[in-house]
Every structure is written in C-alpha cells, then in structure tokens.
Amino acid sequence: MVSTLVKTNIKDWLLETIKPEEFSEKNLKVAGILFEALVPQNKIAEVAREYFSQGYFLESITAVDFSECLEIVYHFNQWGPAKRSCIKILAPKNASGAPIATAPSITSIYKAADWFEREIFDMFGVVFQGHPHLKRILLPESSTIHPLLKSFKGEPKGSDVEQCLKLLKEDAETFEITYPQSIKQQNNHYYLNMGPQHPSTHGVLRLLLHLDGERVLDAEPVIGYSHRHHEKMMEIQNYLACWPNFGRLDYVGAMSYNFGYALLIEKAMGVVPPPRVEYIRVLTTELNRIASHLLWMGTFLLDLGGFTPFFYCFDDREKVLDILEAATGERLTYDYFRFGGVDHDIPQEMVPAIKKFIPAFKERLRDYDKLVTKNVIFEHRTKGLGLLSKENALAYGVTGPALRGSGIAMDLRRDEPYSIYPELDFNIPTRTDGDVYSRYVVRVKEMEESLKIIAQIIDKIPAGDFKSGKLPKNVPKGEYYSSVESTRGSFGIYLVSDGTLNPYRIRLRTPSFSNLNAIIDMLPGCLISDVIAVLGSTDIVLPEIDR
Amino acid sequence: MIQYLKSVSSGLISLATGMAITLRYAFKKPVTVIYPKERIPMKRFKGPIAFVKEEKSQDHLCIACNACIKTCPSRCMSLVAAKSAVDGKRVLTDFKVNYMLCSLCSLCIDVCPTDALKHDDPNYDMVSLTQRDLVMDLLKPFRDAGTPLTKIPVVDPAAPKTPVAAAATPPPAPKSPEAPAAS
Amino acid sequence: MTLTGNFILDQTLTIILYGTIVVLFVSVNALFLVWAERKISARIQLRQGPLHVGFQGALQTIADAIKLISKELIWPRESDKFVFWLAPILVFAPVLSAFIIIPLSQHFVIRDLNVGFLFVFSLTNISFIGIFIAGWSSNSKYALLGSMRAVAQNISYEIPLLLSTMGIVMAAGSLRLTDIVAYQNKYWFICTQFPAFLIFITAALAEANRAPFDIPEAESELVAGFHTEYSGMRFALFFLGEYTAIFISSAIGASLFLGGWHGPFLPGPVWLLLKTYLLVFIVMWIRWTFPRLRSDQLMALAWKVLIPFAMFNILVTAILIYYQKFFI
C-alpha cells in the first residue's frame, strides 16, 4: 500500500521541525487559543507556509510593545471547528532608533498579511522586510508618530493636536498618490478616486480605480479616514470604561461586539453569567443581526438603483430598533452588555412585541423575495459578479456571510460555541457560487435563521438576575482571545493583561478589515456599476475597519 | 430560441410581480410619524444624567466618592467636594455633567455605590443654542429646593488652614454660582 | 409686399403666443409632475411625501424652484465655459419644440407636420448632444463617464423606439400624428400592437434617462452623472428637461397607442391629458420599483430583446395588413 502524504498535526510539526523557543498549550474555552509558540524570526515564513498548506487562514497579525522588544503575534485559525493557534516572534527594538524594529514579511504566503503588516508598521514602526509596498494604512502618510508604542503618550496635548493638524494640512497640500507597483500608467487608461465622498462607499472609503473606459483594471481601497484609535483609547482607560468603544466600532451591529468583549472579560475573570443573561444576550444579538442585515440590504439595493426596497427595509429595521430600544434605551450604538450581565432587564412588553414582529417580518421577507431576489434585473446585476474563490477567501482571511457565500459553512456560533448557541437549532446558510448574488442570498437566509433562533428562545427566557453579583476587581495577568460571530464575520479581541486596572494591549480583529482587503482581487474586470455592487455585497462598515 | 423566449417571458413576469408588490404597498398606510406633531412614546430612553431624589429626605445621595469620575469614558463629569465645617466629612459642593461629551453608556450609574445617579426623564428634543446650556449642574434642583445636604457649610479650600475660624466666617466673595447657595 | 409683411408678422405673433403658452405649460406641468412623482414614490415607499408647504405639499416644488433659482451658479475652474453654459439650454430647448406636433384634438395642433413624430424624435436627439457636451465640458471624470453612457444609450434606443412605432405607421398609412389618432376612432392601437407598446414604453424610458435606465446620471455610481458639476438653475434646466421629455414621450405614446383625443363624454384635450398622465404614472411606478440596469445590459436589452421583437412585430403587422387587403 502506498502511503499517501498524511499531513501531520500542526502542533507536532511545530514541535518537531521548528522547535519553538517557548511552547505552551492553552485551553480554547479559557484562553481562546489551543497553543502558543514563540518561534525564531527567520522561521516565521516557514511556519506560515505550513499553516497555509494545512488550510489555516490568517486571522490577524498584531504586535505588543514590551519595553525592550516588540512581540509580533500571528493568529491562525481553521474553517470548521475552531483550532486557533498563536505564533509569536520577537522583534528587538533598534537601539539607534529608525527603524524601530524589523521583521520578515509573510505577504508572499498570505495576501491578508499585506494590510496587517502595514497596520503594524503604521502603529509600531516595525519594518517588514520583503513587503512590496510598506506604507501607512490608517494614519495619514505624512504623520511621524507610531501611536501604539508605549513611549507615545496617549492623550495628545495641545501642541500635539496642532502638530497633527499641521501635518494633515501639509498632507493635503503635497498630496501625491503613490500607486502600487501593479498599476502602471498607460495610454487612454485613467484613474478615478471613488470616495472618500461618494454616495455608495458606505462611509469614508476611497477606492482608487485604474480604469480603461469603464472597465476596472486594478483597484486599491484606501482606508483610515475615520480612524479614531480605539485600541490606544482602551489602553489608557480601565476595563469598564472600554464599553462604549465596542458600541462604536461597528455601529450597525454593535450588539455582537458587546458580546465579544463581555465574553473576553468573563473568560479572563472566570465569571459565569446567570442563565437569564445568556438568553437576553442571544435575543438582543440576533435582533441586532436582523437590523444590521436589513440596513445592509436596503443600502445595497439602493446602490443597485432600487430605491423602494430601501424604505421597506428601514421600516422593518425601525420595528426591530423599537424593540431593542425598549430594552436598551438606545437605537444604534449599544452599550448594553456588562461583565457578567446586561445593563438593564428586558421589559415585560418586549416578548409580545417580538412575537408580533416575527410573523410580520416573515411576510415581508416573502415580499422581498418577489420584489428583489427573483427580479430579473437584480439577478442580472448580481449573478456571476465579484467572484470570491475559496483560495482567495483563505488567503485573505475572509469570514462571515462573504465566506459562506463561497460555500464554506463557517460560523463561530457553531464552530467555537459560546453562550447558549450550542443548545439552539439553527442552520448555517451557504451558497457555492461566491458571487454577489450568493452573498445576498446568504444574508437574507441568515435573517430567517436569526428569526428562528428568536422564536426558539422567546418563550424560554428563564427568570432570575440580569447581573451577576460580585465581580473580581481586576483581570488576571495573561493573554486572552475571544471571538464571536458578528454580523460581518468573526470578530476577535486579543487582550494582553498585566494585572493592572487598564488593559496592557487590546487588539481588535475586525472582520470587515479582511473582507475589504479581499475586494482587491474581486474588482478587476468589473465595470464601475459592478464596483458598487461588489463593494455593497461585502457589507463593510468603515468605522470598524478604521477603528 | 425556446430558451431565449422563456427567459424573456420569465423576466417580464418577474417585473410584473415586482410592480404588483409596489402597487400593493402604495395602498398601505404610510408609516411616517410626522415628528413634532406626532410622537412615539418612549419606552426606555437614556436621558441626561441626573441625581436620584431620595424619597424620605428629598435629597441627593452622592457621597462624592469619585467612582463615576474615574469610570466615565468620555470624561464629561466633574465633581468638587469640600470638607464639611460641621463634622469634617466630604461634602459635595459641585457636580457638573457636560452632556455634549456624554456617550450615554450609563457606566456611572452602574458603578455608583449609593445609586445616586439615574438617567433623567425622557426629553427627546433637548436643544440649545449655546453649548453652555448643555453643561448640566446636577445640584441645581436641590439647591433650588434648599435641601439639607446643600446647606452644609464647608471649609473653603482656598482659605488658609484655619478650619474653625473659616467655618465661623462666611465664605469670601462668590466665585462660582454655588457659593451663595452654600453660604 | 404688405401681404408677406402681414404674413411674417402674423407668424411671429403666433410663434410668440404659442411659445409663451408652451413655456408656461411646461413650467407648471413640470412643477406638478415633480410633486406627483414625490407623492407617488412616497406612497409606494410607505411615506407621506411633501406635506407642509401648501395642501399636501403641493407648493413644495415652487419652494424648491425658488431655492434653485436663488442658488449660486458655480463654474468649475477647469470647465470649458461656453459649452458648459450652452449644455443645459441645448438639453431643454429641443424638448420644448416637441410640443409643436402634439394634437390635442382634431384641429387643435400647432403645426400638423407630415413627418409627424419623426420630427420629435430627431429633435430630442439634439438634447443628447446637450447631455454629452455637459459631461464633456464639466471636465470631471464622473460627468464624462455619464455622458459617454448617455450617447451609447441614445444610439441604441433610437432604433427600437422607431421600430416599435412602425407597425402603427403601416396600419394607419401615415406619419402624421393627427391621421394616426383619427385612425384609432374604432379601436386603439394598444389592442393590436401591445408588444410594440411595451417596447415603446421601455425605449421611451431609456430615451428620457429614467430609472431603471438612468445610467447616465446613476446617482449611486456616478454621483450625479453628467450634471455632477451643475448647480442652481442650470441643474434645474436638466431636471425640467427630463420631466418635460417624460411628458412628451407619454403624450406621443398616448397619441400613438391610446387613441389620443378619443374618448366619450369629455372633450378631446382632456382625454389626451388624462391618458398622458396615466402613462406618466406608469413611468413613475416603474421607476420606483426596479433596480438600475448596467450599461452593457442596457445595450444587450436593446439589441438582443427589443430590436428583434420590434422587427418581428413589424413583420407580423405587415403580413396581416397584406392579407387583410388580399381578403377584402
């Protein structure tokens, strides 16, 4: 019998071949990762190649600033049941100053690493050797600061603000586009800056399009216009005060981001919330998911020129928001969850309101199906467009409905179960085409599934406390990763705690960041009208990308 | 050819269904709420931060512990406390919330050890022409009502450290609005 | 000499009179159409639409018009000034002249031309030149893209528009609109030429740059397309031109397919207006139902669907007419 090439377990492979300097096994339930390993700098490319060949996607790259060296942290995860592993390399700080540190780039292996490495360069000043066009991504290109370094004082004082304004002004005056290498000026080709002020870029996104007539030859998203630096903001305040930040990352689907942070701190503190809390959380999150998808659907159809469905979607969304408002007191940027509980108990009239909403919304979904999904113009505008292959989805680390539209049933609610999701019966809708239409259908189906979840738990909410009593004062020292399925994909929070009142480092792995990155490979060959459709179908929220 | 005709006819049918739906919706009742004339009753609304009025004493419950100030993510609260001239305890003399900065997270309400804070009653159309109006003095209603806690004489922090004498003499010229009320 | 002098004077006065009437009607009609569009779209979208200015917001459009008139006319720095100035006029004026041939009743028509509606179609094509130079002279990429789309769209849709009417011309045996309408005293052409009617409506929508064929101005793609750089009254002229074009197309459609002035009880002009507004309503209803087509799909629709069907329709009509003659 000819032995086929059996892939060894990645852990064994690491231990045998790479021989990491440090290795420790962790618990997925507690720390959010299976194991972490510190490997030498020169081996990281080899490790990444092995991970890629075993079908792992790059969830995030980030860095942590310790006083004498920077630690660069890679999170790899797999489609299907979560098998997150954390690989670290050390980048010692340069004594002479510039560059602050250097590390090898893995952009040739993972396309997603491109933006992640640019972000680290931006925030920490780490120069990645071998990166094709290392430049700032979130901050303006003229800025000189690396804000996530601990030596950078968090709160800008008066002079710093002035300096910043001055830099921004200079940036605007001496603005010069540096095109990526792939874009070359040719005769009768031209460039179009779609955005940052454009009706259909869903916020302040600039798409740099290289066009031949109306056909896109190359596209590059330029982000960072609504950058507020949530990560630094959270470093300089205590754990409790971080709550509002999570309502303002993805303001459309804020509840799942609340969920992520609640899970993270509860994991770290070892707090188990009361059962009523779990039910309330799932209920509000799923309602919020419906609201978020409805907003997406409305604006997506608006992008395609269908004005009327936009209003129908917003009508439905208002109903959801009315229900959520009764519980949370807010309509958009929810700060509803608390450590071990929720801010406020749900009111009595919420249950009948939801029961009234479910059949009405099902009726509406049927109308959308007739009005939009089966419409011949809509089908022609969306089918076979903006293809996202499985290979690209893996290379870019695409998650969420965009990935499920490409035929991979990855949903952290099932793959890395949290809260009461394991007890619930729901499907993960997938489509195999990987085009705009399948992403649309997946989201519409997801609304139905959310409705199913709500219908299941609405009658079963147990009585009890909506807050757990005593909480530990501090988060224990250590590293934690929590991940939830947000409306747009898997949202991860990586926390490095030093045991003090403030988080030492919080890294937000936002799904839209990777999903938007993947658009680079979807756009070439499209027309301008398709650019809008493809961009709309990725369902991005800019504040979440820019953080 | 048949395929072509089929696709054209099915396309036409789908367009007709769409038009039937929009026509049906055209005869539904509009959902618009003409806002200033009509209002949706607020079920839960996070109004500006205010002091809870305790039923028995009709007074506020703040003990000036600074927990809310430390927690506030927006740093929109400010609190001034002074030493009581009577028993040397901390007494609240000024509590202001800058509603322009408030992110309505209700964390201050959460952390308050005496449950002294709450969200004020629904006031949806809070509008002002100047920013000053949105800086709220939480003690004002209590001072206006003249509740006991606002009447405690305090040691003037600016005065030289002669507590007994300072307590006896009235405070110097009013610098801030609360000074006359406190005296 | 005096005779020709009188004749010229007479003609001039007539032109001025008719011109004034037409311009007045166009303005008032456009105001009404904008209001109607807002109300119709609002009802379809579960909204109320304009409410506060006048009864049911009827005067809202006037308020908007005043706003537009009082706005600054912005000259883009890099624009080609003369052409930029010319474009809105070039879009609006030809549409106005189309009123010349609409027969309100048997005798009430400004000029009963024997080339009939061909005249209108050839005139409205001039407005596309206006659209093209509007986009070109703005020196803006979005505007240029919009005008490029407009030209391509216009060229494609002229053909089905004309082909769809040919069946009627063959049946009525005349291009003159009065003859065509008079021919419909027994039955309307919509009964015999229903596919042609659908093609006509589709092509007319495309000619008027209306959704779902509004690709030259596709606001979610090209910001505002060819009139991105226009402001104030110049922008309003484009707007006015669009609404008048819809009205003209609908009036011609009503004359060709819905029997023009024919109808019981009411006088002819009222019937024509009613039918025209019915078509305008359908046009608006279509606009607020469908998403926009892509430019290449728009071309495909014209060349692969509309033109073959129109040709086929002509063929069938021709055969029927021939056999009709043969049998009778």
Side-chain angles (χ1 to χ4, degrees), chain C residues 279-299:
Chain C
L279 282 185
V280 169
F281 168 72
I282 290 175
V283 164
M284 288 173 180
W285 180 17
I286 289 174
R287 173 176 182 182
W288 296 109
T289 305
F290 300 128
R292 183 184 303 120
L293 273 84
R294 206 167 60 200
S295 42
D296 61 324
Q297 288 164 355
L298 193 78
M299 302 300 138

mmCIF file of all heavy atoms in Angstrom, chain C residues 279-299:
data_model
loop_
_atom_site.group_PDB
_atom_site.id
_atom_site.type_symbol
_atom_site.label_atom_id
_atom_site.label_comp_id
_atom_site.label_asym_id
_atom_site.label_seq_id
_atom_site.Cartn_x
_atom_site.Cartn_y
_atom_site.Cartn_z
ATOM 1 N N LEU C 279 -49.909 57.406 -18.456
ATOM 2 C CA LEU C 279 -48.609 56.867 -18.873
ATOM 3 C C LEU C 279 -47.492 57.399 -17.979
ATOM 4 O O LEU C 279 -46.565 56.660 -17.623
ATOM 5 C CB LEU C 279 -48.333 57.221 -20.333
ATOM 6 C CG LEU C 279 -49.073 56.372 -21.361
ATOM 7 C CD1 LEU C 279 -48.624 56.739 -22.755
ATOM 8 C CD2 LEU C 279 -48.804 54.903 -21.118
ATOM 9 N N VAL C 280 -47.588 58.676 -17.618
ATOM 10 C CA VAL C 280 -46.572 59.254 -16.727
ATOM 11 C C VAL C 280 -46.562 58.504 -15.403
ATOM 12 O O VAL C 280 -45.507 58.177 -14.852
ATOM 13 C CB VAL C 280 -46.841 60.752 -16.510
ATOM 14 C CG1 VAL C 280 -45.978 61.283 -15.385
ATOM 15 C CG2 VAL C 280 -46.571 61.523 -17.775
ATOM 16 N N PHE C 281 -47.771 58.176 -14.935
ATOM 17 C CA PHE C 281 -47.841 57.430 -13.677
ATOM 18 C C PHE C 281 -47.157 56.073 -13.813
ATOM 19 O O PHE C 281 -46.406 55.652 -12.940
ATOM 20 C CB PHE C 281 -49.300 57.253 -13.256
ATOM 21 C CG PHE C 281 -49.476 56.261 -12.149
ATOM 22 C CD1 PHE C 281 -49.076 56.589 -10.863
ATOM 23 C CD2 PHE C 281 -49.978 54.990 -12.380
ATOM 24 C CE1 PHE C 281 -49.198 55.675 -9.845
ATOM 25 C CE2 PHE C 281 -50.102 54.069 -11.370
ATOM 26 C CZ PHE C 281 -49.711 54.421 -10.088
ATOM 27 N N ILE C 282 -47.401 55.418 -14.939
ATOM 28 C CA ILE C 282 -46.770 54.100 -15.134
ATOM 29 C C ILE C 282 -45.251 54.245 -15.151
ATOM 30 O O ILE C 282 -44.519 53.449 -14.562
ATOM 31 C CB ILE C 282 -47.301 53.450 -16.429
ATOM 32 C CG1 ILE C 282 -48.754 53.057 -16.238
ATOM 33 C CG2 ILE C 282 -46.483 52.218 -16.794
ATOM 34 C CD1 ILE C 282 -49.417 52.526 -17.468
ATOM 35 N N VAL C 283 -44.809 55.298 -15.812
ATOM 36 C CA VAL C 283 -43.365 55.536 -15.878
ATOM 37 C C VAL C 283 -42.784 55.713 -14.477
ATOM 38 O O VAL C 283 -41.750 55.151 -14.120
ATOM 39 C CB VAL C 283 -43.089 56.765 -16.756
ATOM 40 C CG1 VAL C 283 -41.683 57.268 -16.546
ATOM 41 C CG2 VAL C 283 -43.303 56.426 -18.214
ATOM 42 N N MET C 284 -43.491 56.467 -13.655
ATOM 43 C CA MET C 284 -43.011 56.689 -12.286
ATOM 44 C C MET C 284 -43.075 55.411 -11.465
ATOM 45 O O MET C 284 -42.180 55.109 -10.684
ATOM 46 C CB MET C 284 -43.844 57.777 -11.616
ATOM 47 C CG MET C 284 -43.554 59.148 -12.157
ATOM 48 S SD MET C 284 -44.674 60.339 -11.482
ATOM 49 C CE MET C 284 -44.072 61.810 -12.299
ATOM 50 N N TRP C 285 -44.138 54.695 -11.684
ATOM 51 C CA TRP C 285 -44.326 53.443 -10.961
ATOM 52 C C TRP C 285 -43.166 52.505 -11.297
ATOM 53 O O TRP C 285 -42.579 51.867 -10.423
ATOM 54 C CB TRP C 285 -45.675 52.879 -11.394
ATOM 55 C CG TRP C 285 -46.106 51.597 -10.800
ATOM 56 C CD1 TRP C 285 -45.615 51.001 -9.691
ATOM 57 C CD2 TRP C 285 -47.146 50.766 -11.307
ATOM 58 N NE1 TRP C 285 -46.289 49.838 -9.470
ATOM 59 C CE2 TRP C 285 -47.232 49.668 -10.439
ATOM 60 C CE3 TRP C 285 -48.009 50.843 -12.387
ATOM 61 C CZ2 TRP C 285 -48.159 48.641 -10.633
ATOM 62 C CZ3 TRP C 285 -48.927 49.835 -12.578
ATOM 63 C CH2 TRP C 285 -49.002 48.734 -11.704
ATOM 64 N N ILE C 286 -42.807 52.431 -12.575
ATOM 65 C CA ILE C 286 -41.671 51.590 -12.969
ATOM 66 C C ILE C 286 -40.404 52.083 -12.297
ATOM 67 O O ILE C 286 -39.624 51.310 -11.746
ATOM 68 C CB ILE C 286 -41.518 51.612 -14.508
ATOM 69 C CG1 ILE C 286 -42.645 50.844 -15.158
ATOM 70 C CG2 ILE C 286 -40.177 51.010 -14.915
ATOM 71 C CD1 ILE C 286 -42.655 50.936 -16.660
ATOM 72 N N ARG C 287 -40.233 53.389 -12.269
ATOM 73 C CA ARG C 287 -39.009 53.934 -11.701
ATOM 74 C C ARG C 287 -38.842 53.513 -10.248
ATOM 75 O O ARG C 287 -37.749 53.184 -9.805
ATOM 76 C CB ARG C 287 -39.030 55.457 -11.772
ATOM 77 C CG ARG C 287 -37.858 56.032 -11.028
ATOM 78 C CD ARG C 287 -37.753 57.512 -11.132
ATOM 79 N NE ARG C 287 -36.555 57.934 -10.409
ATOM 80 C CZ ARG C 287 -36.184 59.171 -10.271
ATOM 81 N NH1 ARG C 287 -36.895 60.128 -10.800
ATOM 82 N NH2 ARG C 287 -35.104 59.470 -9.603
ATOM 83 N N TRP C 288 -39.942 53.537 -9.516
ATOM 84 C CA TRP C 288 -39.808 53.265 -8.084
ATOM 85 C C TRP C 288 -39.921 51.799 -7.756
ATOM 86 O O TRP C 288 -40.110 51.429 -6.609
ATOM 87 C CB TRP C 288 -40.821 54.097 -7.291
ATOM 88 C CG TRP C 288 -40.533 55.531 -7.461
ATOM 89 C CD1 TRP C 288 -41.266 56.439 -8.166
ATOM 90 C CD2 TRP C 288 -39.393 56.240 -6.988
ATOM 91 N NE1 TRP C 288 -40.653 57.657 -8.149
ATOM 92 C CE2 TRP C 288 -39.512 57.562 -7.435
ATOM 93 C CE3 TRP C 288 -38.282 55.885 -6.218
ATOM 94 C CZ2 TRP C 288 -38.566 58.535 -7.152
ATOM 95 C CZ3 TRP C 288 -37.345 56.852 -5.939
ATOM 96 C CH2 TRP C 288 -37.498 58.159 -6.407
ATOM 97 N N THR C 289 -39.874 50.941 -8.765
ATOM 98 C CA THR C 289 -39.946 49.514 -8.474
ATOM 99 C C THR C 289 -38.642 48.789 -8.738
ATOM 100 O O THR C 289 -38.254 47.922 -7.981
ATOM 101 C CB THR C 289 -41.068 48.865 -9.314
ATOM 102 O OG1 THR C 289 -42.272 49.571 -9.068
ATOM 103 C CG2 THR C 289 -41.267 47.430 -8.932
ATOM 104 N N PHE C 290 -37.944 49.178 -9.798
ATOM 105 C CA PHE C 290 -36.848 48.323 -10.254
ATOM 106 C C PHE C 290 -35.478 48.908 -9.946
ATOM 107 O O PHE C 290 -35.298 50.116 -9.936
ATOM 108 C CB PHE C 290 -36.963 48.102 -11.758
ATOM 109 C CG PHE C 290 -38.247 47.454 -12.146
ATOM 110 C CD1 PHE C 290 -39.042 47.993 -13.126
ATOM 111 C CD2 PHE C 290 -38.661 46.305 -11.508
ATOM 112 C CE1 PHE C 290 -40.233 47.399 -13.461
ATOM 113 C CE2 PHE C 290 -39.852 45.704 -11.839
ATOM 114 C CZ PHE C 290 -40.644 46.255 -12.822
ATOM 115 N N PRO C 291 -34.535 47.996 -9.771
ATOM 116 C CA PRO C 291 -33.149 48.466 -9.700
ATOM 117 C C PRO C 291 -32.648 48.857 -11.095
ATOM 118 O O PRO C 291 -33.280 48.544 -12.103
ATOM 119 C CB PRO C 291 -32.378 47.273 -9.143
ATOM 120 C CG PRO C 291 -33.248 46.106 -9.314
ATOM 121 C CD PRO C 291 -34.633 46.572 -9.458
ATOM 122 N N ARG C 292 -31.509 49.516 -11.106
ATOM 123 C CA ARG C 292 -30.972 50.059 -12.342
ATOM 124 C C ARG C 292 -30.241 48.976 -13.136
ATOM 125 O O ARG C 292 -29.639 48.071 -12.560
ATOM 126 C CB ARG C 292 -30.001 51.182 -11.984
ATOM 127 C CG ARG C 292 -29.402 51.911 -13.126
ATOM 128 C CD ARG C 292 -28.398 52.908 -12.618
ATOM 129 N NE ARG C 292 -29.014 53.834 -11.662
ATOM 130 C CZ ARG C 292 -28.634 53.969 -10.419
ATOM 131 N NH1 ARG C 292 -27.657 53.266 -9.944
ATOM 132 N NH2 ARG C 292 -29.237 54.816 -9.628
ATOM 133 N N LEU C 293 -30.288 49.090 -14.451
ATOM 134 C CA LEU C 293 -29.519 48.158 -15.273
ATOM 135 C C LEU C 293 -28.086 48.641 -15.387
ATOM 136 O O LEU C 293 -27.785 49.808 -15.155
ATOM 137 C CB LEU C 293 -30.124 48.052 -16.673
ATOM 138 C CG LEU C 293 -31.225 47.024 -16.862
ATOM 139 C CD1 LEU C 293 -32.540 47.591 -16.442
ATOM 140 C CD2 LEU C 293 -31.262 46.579 -18.295
ATOM 141 N N ARG C 294 -27.230 47.730 -15.785
ATOM 142 C CA ARG C 294 -25.847 48.107 -16.038
ATOM 143 C C ARG C 294 -25.758 48.554 -17.488
ATOM 144 O O ARG C 294 -26.580 48.166 -18.308
ATOM 145 C CB ARG C 294 -24.979 46.883 -15.799
ATOM 146 C CG ARG C 294 -23.571 47.171 -15.419
ATOM 147 C CD ARG C 294 -22.922 45.923 -14.921
ATOM 148 N NE ARG C 294 -22.920 44.887 -15.948
ATOM 149 C CZ ARG C 294 -22.778 43.607 -15.680
ATOM 150 N NH1 ARG C 294 -22.673 43.209 -14.435
ATOM 151 N NH2 ARG C 294 -22.765 42.709 -16.635
ATOM 152 N N SER C 295 -24.754 49.333 -17.826
ATOM 153 C CA SER C 295 -24.741 49.903 -19.168
ATOM 154 C C SER C 295 -24.669 48.833 -20.254
ATOM 155 O O SER C 295 -25.348 48.926 -21.266
ATOM 156 C CB SER C 295 -23.592 50.893 -19.308
ATOM 157 O OG SER C 295 -22.436 50.398 -18.708
ATOM 158 N N ASP C 296 -23.866 47.780 -20.026
ATOM 159 C CA ASP C 296 -23.783 46.771 -21.084
ATOM 160 C C ASP C 296 -25.071 45.962 -21.178
ATOM 161 O O ASP C 296 -25.481 45.550 -22.253
ATOM 162 C CB ASP C 296 -22.579 45.851 -20.851
ATOM 163 C CG ASP C 296 -22.676 45.107 -19.553
ATOM 164 O OD1 ASP C 296 -23.177 45.713 -18.588
ATOM 165 O OD2 ASP C 296 -22.265 43.947 -19.475
ATOM 166 N N GLN C 297 -25.737 45.777 -20.022
ATOM 167 C CA GLN C 297 -27.012 45.076 -20.063
ATOM 168 C C GLN C 297 -28.065 45.899 -20.784
ATOM 169 O O GLN C 297 -28.952 45.366 -21.451
ATOM 170 C CB GLN C 297 -27.486 44.777 -18.647
ATOM 171 C CG GLN C 297 -26.677 43.701 -17.987
ATOM 172 C CD GLN C 297 -26.874 43.671 -16.508
ATOM 173 O OE1 GLN C 297 -27.545 44.522 -15.948
ATOM 174 N NE2 GLN C 297 -26.264 42.701 -15.868
ATOM 175 N N LEU C 298 -27.935 47.195 -20.618
ATOM 176 C CA LEU C 298 -28.856 48.107 -21.292
ATOM 177 C C LEU C 298 -28.729 47.940 -22.796
ATOM 178 O O LEU C 298 -29.719 47.834 -23.523
ATOM 179 C CB LEU C 298 -28.496 49.533 -20.890
ATOM 180 C CG LEU C 298 -29.495 50.604 -21.233
ATOM 181 C CD1 LEU C 298 -30.616 50.553 -20.252
ATOM 182 C CD2 LEU C 298 -28.827 51.935 -21.178
ATOM 183 N N MET C 299 -27.504 47.885 -23.268
ATOM 184 C CA MET C 299 -27.259 47.680 -24.695
ATOM 185 C C MET C 299 -27.802 46.317 -25.112
ATOM 186 O O MET C 299 -28.453 46.187 -26.143
ATOM 187 C CB MET C 299 -25.761 47.704 -24.997
ATOM 188 C CG MET C 299 -25.062 48.964 -24.607
ATOM 189 S SD MET C 299 -25.752 50.344 -25.449
ATOM 190 C CE MET C 299 -25.800 51.509 -24.123
#
